[in-house]
Amino acid sequence: MDRRRIQLTVNGQEKQADIYTRLTLADLLRDKLDLTGTHLGCEHGFCGACTVLLDGEAVRSCLALAVQANGRAVTTVEGLADGNHLSRLQAAFQNQNGLQCGFCTPGFLISATAFLARADNTTEQEVRKALSGNLCRCTGYKGIVQAVLEASREEPLKQEPSQPACAGCIGAAIDRSEDNRLLQGRGVYTADIRLPGLAHAAVLRTKHARARIVRLDADAARRAPGVLALLTFADIADIAKQLPQVQPHPSLNSRQPYPLVRDVVRYAGEPLAIVVAENRYLAEDALDLIEAEYEVLTAAIDLESALRDAGNRVHDDLPDNIAGRFGQEVGNVEQALKESHTVIKERLTIGRVSAQPMETRAITASYEAGKLTVWLTSQSPHMTRRVMAGQLNLPLEDVHLIAPDIGGGFGPKNRYYPEYTLVPLLAMQLGRPVSWVEDRRESFTATYHAREQVHEVTLGLAEDGTILALRDHYLYDQGAYSPIGVVVPHVTSVSIPGPYRVPAYEVECTMVYTNKTPGAPYRGAGKPQAAFVIERMLDFGAQKLNLDPVEIRRRNLIKPEEFPYHTQMIDMDETEVIYDSGNYQECLARTLELIGYNDFPKEQAQARHAQRLTGIGVACYTTKTGRGPFEGARVRVEPDGRVFVYSGVSAQGQGHQTTLAQVCAEYLGVRFSDVSVKNGDTSDIEKSIGTYNARVAVMAGNAVAMAAQAVREKAIQAAAEIFAVAPDALEITNGVIRVSRAPERNMTLGQIAQSLNGHSAQTAPAGDASSGLEETRYFENNQPPYASGTYAVVIELDRQTGSVQVLRHALVHDCGIMINPRIVEGQIYGGVAQGISETLLEEFCYDEAGVPLSDSYKTYLLPNAAMIPTLMLDHVETPSPFNPLGVKGAGEGGTVPVAAAIVSAIENALGGAVRLRRRPVHAVDLQALMRAGESL
Amino acid sequence: MKPPPFDYYDPTVLADALQLLAEHGRDIKILAGGQSLLQLLNYRLIRPPALLDINRVAELHLLEQDAEGLKVGATIRQSELEKFPGLAEINPLLAEALPWIGHFQTRNRGTVCGSLANADPAAELPAVSLTLEARLTLERNGGQRVVSSRKFFKAALTTVLEPEEMLTHVSFPAWNYGDGWALEQVARRPQDFALVGVVVLLTPAEGACARARITVFGTGYPPARCEAAESFLNGNAWSASLLDEAVARVRTETKARSDAQATSEYRRHVAGTLAGRALLRAAQRAGLTREDRHG
C-alpha cells in the first residue's frame, strides 16, 4: 500500500505526517494531527460537519484525500479564534443560540466563514442557501441563520449580557456555559477520546431481513493485517446473555437479541461479527474477508400482513407476531357513539423514521486493574452501566460510565445496544482500549427506529362538534425485538385525547413484530402519532359539520378552571393521567393572532387569484413531560467559593450545564458564574434515571433546587453558630452570608465550607459537619407535568409538482416556568424542524424482502436551512403545581403537533377536495392525488 | 466508511497520466474533484486497484474563452468556472446552472469534466452540455477524438469513454447573443438532487422561435433532448397554445424510471410542467413574450 510523507500548514503551523495514501483529509486532521474539532457526521459529503478551509476554500474533508493537501494550507475550527478570543462569527453563534449539541457547529462555522469572506450586505435568503450544505438536527437553523446575519453586519455585536445576580437567575435568558468550548472545536465527543494503544472496531451486519446462518467463516479476517481480535456468536456462546428487558410489562411478549446473531437473522443490519484492528481502515478491510452463507427466509415486513399471516413468524417460539396487546376504556363508548349526531370512521397511518442525530452512536472502553471505564453516547449512563455490568458479569462498582459531549440524542441513544457489550468485552480480552464509532450507513439500520403505526379510529360528535366518544384500535410496528417494551405505544394510548375533553374513550393497541429494525422512542415517543390522530379526526369532523377547524377545537379544549384535570385514563405505572395545569385557550388564541388566522381567507383568495395554492392548518397539543420516578443531584461548595453540581443526567445539546447552574445559583444564593455542573458520569452520584421525555428540567432541576436549598440551610445553620444569631437573622446573596441587620458581619460560603471541612486546629466544625458544605437530594415524583400549546402553519402547494413549502409558522406553548427562555426556544425551534421533516421529507422504507431503501443522506433526507423558515414563537407560563420549580419539560412539545397542522394546511389549500390520511406526505403522492381529481 | 486500499498515482504531465491509463486500463480510476468518487470509495461500492489523481497535471488546468467559445479543462472546479469573470455574459446558461450543483463546498472540489464523465442522470452539467451542444475531447496515449455531447452519454453513469481514455476538456460553443435560456428543476429539498429537471435554450428570430432546445434530466436515464417538442416549436410564432402543445409533447416523449424517490409518471408529468416554466422564462429572455405566468 502506498505511503507518503506530506507537509502542510494547519491553522498557520507547519505540520508533517507519514500517511497511507487512502487516508482522508478528515482522518489526517483527527487522528494524525489530533484536531478533533473537525467532526465526521456522514463520511459521504452530505452533512458538512467535516468542512474545513483548503487554501481558503471550504471543502468536505471526508471527500478529499490527505495526500491532496500536501503543500497546502488547511484551516479548521480550532484556527478560527484568536487565542481564547472568539471570532466575530463564533461570538455571534453564542449570542444567537446558534448551537446546541455542537457537533455540526464546526462545519457551520467554517462554511459561514468562507461565505462571509465573499458576501457583503447579505440577505437571510442568501444565508439560508449558503448554509444548505450543512445539516443541523438540533437548532431548526434559526439561531445559526441569525448568527451569520449578525456577523455579516457592520454594527458591533450585541454585548454579552451581564450575568444576573443569584436572585432572578431562574428565568434569565443568559448565554450557555457550554458554548465557548464547543465553538472552538474543543468539545470532547466519544469519538474524540484518545487513549494510548487505542484499537478500533468495526461491525459486520447482515443485509438480509430474515435468514438462517448456514456458514460464517471469519478465518481469513482473523489473519488479516492489523487485526487484533474478532468475535462471532461462536466466540461468545459460553458467556453471551440476551440483552435484558429493562422495562418489563405484563402485556409484553418480550424478545431480546444476543449481542451477536446466534442462528437466525431478524432484521437487515443485525450484527454478525465484530473485528478489532489497529485502525478503522484495517478493521473494515477485515470485514470484507468474512464469508457468510444464509438460508434466506421470507420476511415479515408489512405491518398488517405480519399480523395477519402467522406463517412468517419473526420469533419461531411465538404463536404469531403479536408482541403485546393492551388497552382501556373510559366511559361507555358504544353507548356514546349511538347517541352521537355524527360518527366518523377513518384509517390513519404514520410512517417509520430514523432519529438521525448528527453524531452517530459511539463507545470507547478501557479495562485496567480490574476496572472498566467506558465513554458512551448515552442518554442514561446509570441505567446503561447496570445493564453493561450484568452483561459482562462485573460488579457494578467496577464499571465506570462517562457520557462526554454528545452530538444530539432524541431518544434512541437512551437504549442499550449490542455493541455496548461487545466493545467492553473486547477491551477486557485484549487488555487494550477499544473504540467503536457507528458509521452513518450503519446508523440507518443499527440504531432503533420510531413512529410506525396504523390507526382505525371512530369519532362520535354532537351536532355542535362536542366530542362524545372516541375509539381507536391501532397497530404498532415493533420491529424485530422489544428494547423498551410497551413504552412508545402505551404513551400513544394515553395521549390520543390530548388537550380535549373526551368523555368516552376506548383504546386498544396491538404491537406487532416485523423483520425490521426495532422500534424505540424518538422525540415525542408516541405523542406525535396521537396528535396526528385526534387532530386529523377533528378536521374531518369540522368538515362534516361545516364548522371552522379552529371552532371545533375551541369547543372541546379543556378550560383553565378544570385543572387539575382528571382524564380517568390509567398510565403505564398504574397511576391516573392527570393534567396539572395549563391555559390551552390562551395558547390557541395567541397562535391564531401570530399566524394571522382571521385574515387568512382574504390572503388565500388573493393567492388563488395569482394561481398560487396556499393553505393554513392549526393543531393543539398536550405532551406529558418529566416522567418519574426520581432524579438526583449533589451540590458542593469549595473553600474557594466555587460551587459544583453533580447530576447523573447526560446532555445531548440541551444546555443542562447552564440551566442546572441557574437553578443552583438561585436556590443556594450564589453567582451563576461560580457554579459548574458536571453531569453524565456514574462516579459522581449514586443513582440516576436519565435524559428523555423532557424530564431533566423537571426531575433533575427540582433535585438541584432541593440539594442547593439543603446546602443553603446547612450554611445558614453553621453561620448562625459562628455569628451567634438565630438562623432567620441571616441572608445569603451572591455567595456571601451576612447578618441582615449587621451586614458588616459576613462570611463567604467558601469560608463556611472551609470551616465545615474541618482541620486539626479546630475543636469542632460549626454546625453539621457531615460531608462538608455538600448535600445530595433525590426528587421523587410520579405526578408528571403536561406541557401544551398550539402550532399553526401556512403552506404553499405547487399544483403541478406537489411540492409543499412552509411559508410561515407560529407556535405558542406553555412549559410552565422557564429556567432559561433562550434554551427553551432552542428546544422548540429544533422540535418543530424535526416535525416538518418527518411530515415532508423523512420516511424509512423497505422493499418487500426487507432490504432498507435508505442507507445514506442521498436517500434519507434531513431538512436544511433553506426549508425551515423562522418560527414565530411565544410563551404562556402556567406554573406546574406538581413540582416546586413549577416547570414542565420543553424538549418534545415542538415535534408533537407539526405533522397534523401541515397535513391540515395542505387539505385546506386544496379546498377540502381530498382527505389526507397518512404522514409523511410527499410531493409525488400529493401530485398523484391532485391529478386523480384534475378539477382541483 | 473508509476507502479500501488502492495504489495512488499523481503524475504532473498529461503524457504520464495517459500512459498510466494505457497500462492499467479498467484497473485505474481517475480522481479529479472526487465528490462522487470518494463517496463510492467510502461506501466501498467500488474497489479500484489504483487511483490516478490528475490534479497535479498542469495541462489540464485550462480555462479559456475565445471566439470559438469556452474551453474547460479536466481539473477546472465547478466553482472556478462559476467565478470566471464575465461568465454571466459569456454563457448565461452555465452561469445559471452552476449554482444548482451540490453545494458551494462540493463545487470547490468537484470539476466540470468530472461531472460530465460521471454522467449521473440527476446532474445538471450533462444536461447543460447536451443543450449547449458541447464538444468533448477524449485523449488516450497517442491519440484523441472529439465527440459531441449527443454521442457522449450512453446510459445512466455510462459514457463512451474507454478505460484508457480521459476527458481532457470540454468546449462550450460561443453564446449566441439574443438567445433565451432557463433551467428548472424539482427536488425533494432545496439544493438537492433533481427528481427531474429541464434545460431550455431558445433562439428567436422576428418574434418566432427559430430554434428550440429542450433537455430533460433526472429521469433515471441519461439527459435527453425532446426532439418532438423542439421540432414543433422550431419556426413557429410564439403563443400560449404553442407552449401548451410543447408541454404535452415533452410529457409524451420523456422516458423516465421509477425509484424510491419518484415514479416515472411523476417525472414525465413534471418534466412537462418544468419545460413549460423554462420555455416561458427563456422566451421572456429571448424577447418572445412578456406573459409572466404559466401553471
Side-chain angles (χ1 to χ4, degrees):
Chain A
M1 236 180 301
D2 253 356
R3 293 196 76 133
R4 292 281 178 97
R5 182 159 187 81
I6 59 166
Q7 213 167 354
L8 68 165
T9 309
V10 181
N11 300 330
Q13 293 184 330
E14 293 298 318
K15 300 279 182 188
Q16 297 190 344
D18 276 311
I19 56 159
Y20 286 107
T21 48
R22 66 165 155 161
L23 187 76
T24 63
L25 175 56
D27 285 336
L28 169 76
L29 296 167
R30 291 181 48 79
D31 297 338
K32 302 279 175 188
L33 304 178
D34 210 23
L35 291 167
T36 53
T38 297
H39 297 150
L40 286 175
C42 76
E43 297 185 276
H44 57 288
F46 279 71
C47 80
C50 70
T51 307
V52 299
L53 298 180
L54 184 61
D55 286 342
E57 301 284 1
V59 302
R60 313 287 207 216
S61 63
C62 72
L63 295 186
L65 296 175
V67 63
Q68 297 182 302
N70 191 20
R72 306 180 66 181
V74 175
T75 305
T76 68
V77 67
E78 289 93 342
L80 294 181
D82 180 7
N84 212 6
H85 189 73
L86 296 181
S87 74
R88 183 179 166 85
L89 179 68
Q90 288 169 313
F93 264 65
Q94 168 138 43
N95 276 349
Q96 299 289 347
N97 225 12
L99 66 158
Q100 287 182 26
C101 78
F103 193 83
C104 68
T105 309
F108 273 97
L109 288 169
I110 294 285
S111 290
T113 298
F115 167 70
L116 289 174
R118 285 219 176 74
D120 26 71
N121 276 328
T122 188
T123 62
E124 179 174 333
Q125 201 185 353
E126 282 169 0
V127 169
R128 287 184 179 276
K129 183 166 187 217
L131 297 179
S132 66
N134 289 78
L135 298 178
C136 169
R137 197 59 159 159
C138 296
T139 63
Y141 299 104
K142 189 259 184 187
I144 297 174
V145 170
Q146 293 306 319
V148 176
L149 279 169
E150 186 184 14
S152 76
R153 293 190 192 112
E154 305 261 306
E155 307 90 85
L157 291 185
K158 182 186 76 138
Q159 289 296 306
E160 261 187 53
S162 58
Q163 287 185 343
C166 52
C169 211
I170 289 180
I174 46 185
D175 285 354
R176 303 192 332 153
S177 325
E178 291 87 347
D179 291 354
N180 192 282
R181 207 166 48 80
L182 298 175
L183 284 164
Q184 297 187 63
R186 292 188 194 153
V188 180
Y189 300 85
T190 301
D192 303 337
I193 304 286
R194 298 285 177 268
L195 300 170
L198 186 64
H200 297 266
V203 177
L204 180 70
R205 298 181 187 281
T206 175
K207 292 176 178 59
H208 297 289
R210 184 161 171 250
R212 188 172 300 281
I213 301 173
V214 176
R215 187 176 70 95
L216 190 60
D217 182 352
D219 287 351
R222 288 181 209 272
R223 293 192 304 268
V227 169
L228 301 167
L230 188 152
L231 301 176
T232 64
F233 184 82
D235 301 299
I236 58 167
D238 54 338
I239 49 168
K241 303 176 189 175
Q242 283 163 306
L243 305 189
Q245 188 69 53
V246 290
Q247 260 143 322
H249 192 271
S251 48
L252 176 71
N253 296 319
S254 163
R255 288 296 179 277
Q256 281 286 73
Y258 285 100
L260 291 166
V261 176
R262 187 177 55 180
D263 45 10
V264 175
V265 163
R266 295 196 173 85
Y267 65 93
E270 203 171 359
L272 287 179
I274 183 166
V275 62
V276 183
E278 293 293 347
N279 63 53
R280 176 76 184 217
Y281 289 72
L282 295 172
E284 290 189 23
D285 292 351
L287 291 187
D288 289 347
L289 300 173
I290 300 176
E291 290 175 33
E293 252 179 63
Y294 302 92
E295 177 201 342
V296 177
L297 307 167
T298 308
I301 298 303
D302 176 67
L303 171 56
E304 288 165 273
S305 319
L307 178 65
R308 275 197 310 271
D309 178 5
N312 298 325
R313 290 199 303 282
V314 177
H315 299 281
D316 287 342
D317 56 332
L318 288 177
D320 48 35
N321 282 320
I322 294 177
R325 186 170 268 166
F326 55 84
Q328 58 183 300
E329 183 170 3
V330 171
N332 186 335
V333 169
E334 199 52 49
Q335 186 62 30
L337 282 174
K338 274 188 202 142
E339 292 163 7
S340 295
H341 169 271
T342 296
V343 173
I344 300 156
K345 286 189 182 189
E346 285 291 348
R347 182 189 149 78
L348 302 168
T349 57
I350 291 126
R352 167 178 281 254
V353 303
S354 167
Q356 292 295 312
M358 295 321 299
E359 180 208 29
T360 54
R361 291 185 298 118
I363 179 170
T364 296
S366 168
Y367 188 68
E368 268 183 55
K371 303 275 185 193
L372 180 69
T373 307
V374 174
W375 292 263
L376 179 66
T377 53
S378 173
Q379 291 179 228
S380 51
H382 285 76
M383 183 193 81
T384 306
R385 172 200 190 208
R386 264 200 315 278
V387 177
M388 193 180 284
Q391 285 271 299
L392 296 166
N393 272 326
L394 291 172
L396 193 59
E397 292 69 27
D398 290 348
V399 180
H400 175 197
L401 207 141
I402 302 158
D405 287 318
I406 299 178
F410 314 119
K413 283 184 181 169
N414 197 27
R415 305 269 57 81
Y416 191 92
Y417 291 87
E419 301 86 1
Y420 304 169
T421 298
L422 298 169
V423 171
L425 181 65
L426 283 160
M428 291 166 68
Q429 289 183 351
L430 279 173
R432 278 178 67 170
V434 177
S435 151
W436 171 76
V437 181
E438 180 186 59
D439 66 36
R440 186 53 67 185
R441 173 165 47 182
E442 290 180 286
S443 80
F444 286 104
T445 53
T447 293
Y448 298 152
H449 290 171
R451 300 280 197 259
E452 190 169 359
Q453 296 183 352
V454 178
H455 291 253
E456 300 277 355
V457 203
T458 309
L459 176 69
L461 296 169
E463 198 171 358
D464 66 353
T466 304
I467 299 171
L468 298 180
L470 179 63
R471 172 185 284 154
D472 188 347
H473 289 199
Y474 64 99
L475 308 179
Y476 171 71
D477 190 326
Q478 180 52 63
Y481 299 103
S482 56
I484 187 169
V486 304
V487 171
V488 173
H490 200 284
V491 169
T492 302
S493 76
V494 292
S495 303
I496 294 165
Y500 307 107
R501 264 174 268 107
V502 179
Y505 174 54
E506 178 197 311
V507 64
E508 184 186 273
C509 169
T510 305
M511 301 165 64
V512 183
Y513 283 123
T514 58
N515 290 110
K516 295 189 273 195
T517 292
Y522 165 50
R523 202 172 203 161
K527 289 173 289 193
Q529 297 96 315
F532 186 73
V533 169
I534 187 68
E535 295 297 309
R536 284 282 62 209
M537 294 306 286
L538 286 177
D539 281 343
F540 298 149
Q543 214 176 27
K544 197 132 186 200
L545 294 173
N546 207 16
L547 282 172
D548 183 291
V550 164
E551 191 49 39
I552 196 168
R553 287 169 169 79
R554 205 177 269 136
R555 288 179 189 177
N556 286 288
L557 284 175
I558 296 160
K559 297 193 174 84
E561 60 272 21
E562 293 178 84
F563 293 101
Y565 183 81
H566 289 255
T567 66
Q568 299 180 54
M569 290 184 289
I570 301 302
D571 212 338
M572 214 165 18
D573 59 4
E574 299 296 320
T575 60
E576 188 193 353
V577 174
I578 303 169
Y579 298 162
D580 52 331
S581 68
N583 191 339
Y584 302 166
Q585 280 75 5
E586 176 78 5
C587 289
L588 173 63
R590 279 163 65 179
T591 302
L592 298 180
E593 210 171 295
L594 282 179
I595 201 79
Y597 189 81
N598 290 338
D599 294 335
F600 185 74
K602 205 190 300 168
E603 177 187 332
Q604 188 175 38
Q606 280 166 355
R608 258 188 189 266
H609 189 69
Q611 304 279 323
R612 292 171 54 225
L613 286 181
T614 57
I616 194 164
V618 178
C620 304
Y621 70 95
T622 54
T623 177
K624 175 181 174 174
T625 73
R627 185 186 290 277
F630 67 83
E631 199 55 72
R634 180 159 66 95
V635 171
R636 186 175 78 232
V637 181
E638 295 287 357
D640 60 7
R642 288 177 305 154
V643 180
F644 290 90
V645 177
Y646 299 94
S647 168
V649 293
S650 61
Q652 299 79 42
Q654 302 92 334
H656 298 154
Q657 293 183 349
T658 306
T659 46
L660 296 182
Q662 286 178 261
V663 173
C664 177
E666 175 100 30
Y667 274 74
L668 179 53
V670 296
R671 285 192 184 85
F672 172 77
S673 54
D674 288 333
V675 184
S676 303
V677 175
K678 274 192 71 189
N679 55 339
D681 185 325
T682 59
S683 68
D684 286 334
I685 190 161
E686 195 188 341
K687 285 184 286 185
S688 169
I689 300 288
T691 303
Y692 56 91
N693 188 220
R695 70 187 295 281
V696 170
V698 179
M699 298 303 297
N702 279 293
V704 170
M706 287 164 64
Q709 179 70 33
V711 168
R712 180 189 177 99
E713 283 162 13
K714 196 172 187 178
I716 286 187
Q717 195 61 45
E721 285 185 32
I722 291 166
F723 293 127
V725 296
D728 60 6
L730 294 165
E731 60 184 38
I732 305 183
T733 314
N734 290 336
V736 179
I737 186 161
R738 53 173 64 85
V739 180
S740 305
R741 295 189 169 188
E744 70 285 357
R745 298 179 67 199
N746 64 65
M747 285 177 85
T748 64
L749 283 179
Q751 288 167 322
I752 302 231
Q754 174 77 28
S755 155
L756 284 175
N757 283 345
H759 54 86
S760 56
Q762 266 176 335
T763 50
D768 169 16
S770 64
S771 65
L773 193 46
E774 170 172 341
E775 287 296 323
T776 302
R777 288 292 182 277
Y778 287 89
F779 177 59
E780 292 175 25
N781 188 22
N782 286 311
Q783 285 280 307
Y786 285 75
S788 56
T790 300
Y791 174 75
V793 61
V794 172
I795 60 98
E796 178 166 354
L797 169 63
D798 186 317
R799 185 196 297 270
Q800 295 294 332
T801 66
S803 300
V804 173
Q805 196 191 346
V806 174
L807 296 181
R808 64 178 192 270
H809 52 163
L811 187 142
V812 178
H813 77 119
D814 179 354
C815 68
I817 299 295
M818 291 188 286
I819 298 170
N820 183 329
R822 272 174 65 189
I823 285 180
V824 166
E825 286 166 8
Q827 288 295 310
I828 303 289
Y829 292 130
V832 167
Q834 286 178 342
I836 293 174
S837 180
E838 65 182 47
T839 313
L840 297 176
L841 288 180
E842 294 177 53
E843 183 170 19
F844 199 95
C845 298
Y846 291 84
D847 72 8
E848 282 171 11
V851 178
L853 297 179
S854 302
D855 71 345
S856 76
Y857 283 150
K858 188 173 178 178
T859 47
Y860 192 88
L861 272 61
L862 301 186
N864 61 28
M867 67 172 283
I868 311 286
T870 294
L871 178 74
M872 296 177 275
L873 175 58
D874 205 355
H875 315 283
V876 168
E877 277 187 285
T878 316
S880 175
F882 288 177
N883 66 77
L885 284 175
V887 295
K888 308 168 185 178
E892 295 183 315
T895 308
V896 172
V898 176
I902 292 178
V903 169
S904 180
I906 296 169
E907 271 187 9
N908 178 257
L910 292 168
V914 295
R915 274 195 178 185
L916 299 174
R917 301 176 171 90
R918 184 173 200 281
R919 55 161 272 212
V921 273
H922 291 155
V924 175
D925 307 324
L926 270 177
Q927 195 250 15
L929 263 177
M930 289 189 285
R931 286 186 65 205
E934 279 297 351
S935 61
L936 293 171
Chain B
M1 287 175 61
K2 307 297 182 190
F6 48 76
D7 291 328
Y8 176 79
Y9 300 94
D10 55 345
T12 53
V13 293
L14 182 58
D16 291 350
L18 297 176
Q19 178 63 35
L20 282 162
L21 278 181
E23 282 169 19
H24 292 262
R26 289 185 193 284
D27 288 342
I28 198 162
K29 285 289 278 184
I30 296 174
L31 169 60
Q35 300 305 280
S36 300
L37 183 64
L38 268 132
Q39 283 182 32
L40 295 172
L41 288 170
N42 288 356
Y43 268 85
R44 298 196 178 208
L45 292 174
I46 55 166
R47 293 156 197 273
L51 285 195
L52 172 59
D53 184 341
I54 58 171
N55 284 286
R56 297 172 68 213
V57 177
E59 296 127 288
L60 297 174
H61 199 257
L62 168 87
L63 182 51
E64 284 174 2
Q65 191 236 339
D66 57 25
E68 301 277 288
L70 194 59
K71 204 166 158 186
V72 183
T75 60
I76 296 298
R77 315 274 174 207
Q78 291 146 11
S79 61
E80 281 179 90
L81 181 57
E82 199 179 345
K83 291 171 197 156
F84 188 63
L87 183 70
E89 284 76 46
I90 294 165
N91 193 317
L93 176 55
L94 274 173
E96 178 164 323
L98 285 160
W100 282 99
I101 305 169
H103 301 280
F104 79 89
Q105 301 90 335
T106 60
R107 296 197 294 277
N108 281 334
R109 293 293 294 170
T111 62
V112 174
C113 287
S115 173
L116 297 174
N118 190 45
D120 189 315
E124 290 82 3
L125 280 174
V128 170
S129 75
L130 190 62
T131 312
L132 291 170
E133 295 171 358
R135 298 177 68 74
L136 299 95
T137 300
L138 319 185
E139 294 193 44
R140 68 172 72 211
N141 200 1
Q144 74 165 51
R145 57 178 173 144
V146 177
V147 298
S148 75
S149 47
R150 278 204 182 221
K151 296 261 169 65
F152 184 70
F153 302 104
K154 276 170 62 181
L157 301 170
T158 309
T159 69
V160 300
L161 274 164
E162 297 289 337
E164 63 274 18
E165 278 181 321
M166 181 192 303
L167 168 58
T168 54
H169 67 266
V170 57
S171 299
F172 297 102
W175 186 259
N176 182 34
Y177 289 93
D179 281 2
W181 73 96
L183 184 154
E184 293 279 344
Q185 67 175 53
V186 167
R188 292 205 45 213
R189 170 180 78 175
Q191 285 302 117
D192 213 66
F193 289 91
L195 290 179
V196 62
V198 174
V199 183
V200 160
L201 189 62
L202 287 184
T203 304
E206 293 162 10
C209 172
R211 186 173 177 216
R213 290 182 248 182
I214 305 169
T215 306
V216 175
F217 67 101
T219 57
Y221 294 102
R225 291 277 290 272
C226 299
E227 288 169 6
E230 288 178 0
S231 59
F232 172 75
L233 287 170
N234 288 344
N236 274 317
W238 190 263
S239 70
S241 59
L242 187 82
L243 184 58
D244 289 343
E245 179 58 27
V247 166
R249 289 188 181 216
V250 168
R251 284 186 181 134
T252 311
E253 69 183 304
T254 292
K255 259 195 343 172
R257 286 202 159 104
S258 293
D259 59 26
Q261 306 289 330
T263 60
S264 64
E265 293 75 30
Y266 179 85
R267 290 192 160 106
R268 283 203 304 274
H269 183 84
V270 175
T273 302
L274 297 181
R277 292 174 187 177
L279 280 165
L280 190 67
R281 273 209 298 135
Q284 287 161 0
R285 282 167 163 166
L288 289 170
T289 178
R290 285 199 201 135
E291 195 190 335
D292 64 350
R293 274 207 84 82
H294 187 267

